[in-house]
Amino acid sequence: MGDWKKAIAVFKEMEFPLDCDEFEGKIIAQKTICLLQLKGMNLDYAFGMYVRGSYSPAFTKDYYDHKQEFKSLSSGSVLSDEEKVMVKNLDDLFLKNAPLLEIGATYAFIVEKTNRTPIEAFRIIKETKGFYRDTQIAKGISKVKQFLFEPTEKDLEWLKNETGPIQRASIQSMRY
């Protein structure tokens, strides 16, 4: 069984009282918990793939069983400083946008849990989330990559070398 008290602490940090009678709120909640677990936060919920992407029946049971606590954001649980930073990063990137969270969490779940390549995951997203605009799909995938896949020092050095000349030329052209 999952750690519903810690899940409430996540939503408290996001200032997001979960009303389980609101469909969009449930999408935001499910995808937030899934992404935080994929990032390494221990909430102990099992997720699988369903119609709207990654979904945990156990988490659903918990937020219905503890409806008032989720709505009032009261659990007594506190996140560590590292967990607070993780939650803030996710919230700053996705801004509680249900479609972007659905796209991002579905893409990440496919890549991480079904051992599909990013190209295969993108194709699956396009097929299963065709009701979203291409720009939303691109934005959701971009944001989840930004959240989950942190660049290595080697990646950052390559990027600096790759974009450095363009940045210097841009700065120089602004002087004229």
Side-chain angles (χ1 to χ4, degrees):
M1 218 49 187
D3 190 343
W4 63 270
K5 289 183 177 184
K6 190 172 189 177
I8 291 172
V10 164
F11 298 134
K12 184 173 186 173
E13 187 67 26
M14 293 173 59
E15 298 177 5
F16 180 69
L18 176 59
D19 182 348
C20 62
D21 294 327
E22 294 179 5
F23 180 73
E24 186 172 280
K26 292 186 285 189
I27 293 274
I28 293 167
Q30 285 280 342
K31 304 328 176 200
T32 294
I33 297 303
C34 178
L35 286 172
L36 289 171
Q37 285 193 169
L38 288 172
K39 182 76 172 175
M41 186 181 287
N42 185 15
L43 292 151
D44 204 27
Y45 285 107
F47 279 82
M49 284 298 290
Y50 290 78
V51 174
R52 297 301 293 249
S54 53
Y55 173 79
S56 171
F59 178 53
T60 300
K61 181 180 181 335
D62 279 352
Y63 63 68
Y64 278 105
D65 287 351
H66 305 282
K67 188 177 192 171
Q68 188 53 45
E69 291 95 331
F70 274 92
K71 198 167 187 174
S72 66
L73 298 175
S74 56
S75 72
S77 184
V78 179
L79 299 177
S80 70
D81 289 342
E82 182 180 321
E83 291 168 332
K84 287 178 182 180
V85 168
M86 192 184 303
V87 170
K88 182 175 177 4
N89 288 343
L90 183 135
D91 198 30
D92 287 349
L93 278 169
F94 287 95
L95 302 171
K96 299 174 196 74
N97 182 303
L100 295 182
L101 282 161
E102 179 180 342
I103 292 162
T106 304
Y107 175 85
F109 189 85
I110 291 168
V111 170
E112 293 292 317
K113 298 298 182 184
T114 68
N115 296 317
R116 299 267 173 64
T117 67
I119 292 171
E120 290 173 314
F122 176 74
R123 182 186 48 75
I124 292 167
I125 294 294
K126 290 282 289 174
E127 289 172 2
T128 61
K129 308 285 179 206
F131 48 91
Y132 288 125
R133 295 184 315 273
D134 287 348
T135 54
Q136 285 177 298
I137 291 172
K139 195 173 183 180
I141 291 172
S142 175
K143 287 185 179 296
V144 82
K145 285 181 178 182
Q146 198 174 347
F147 178 67
L148 291 177
F149 310 115
E150 294 180 26
T152 64
E153 285 299 319
K154 184 178 176 182
D155 294 335
L156 294 173
E157 186 62 32
W158 175 86
L159 189 59
K160 181 179 167 186
N161 292 333
E162 186 72 17
T163 62
I166 295 167
Q167 288 176 339
R168 286 189 296 280
S170 177
I171 291 168
Q172 192 160 7
S173 71
M174 289 190 323
R175 292 182 185 152
Y176 298 107

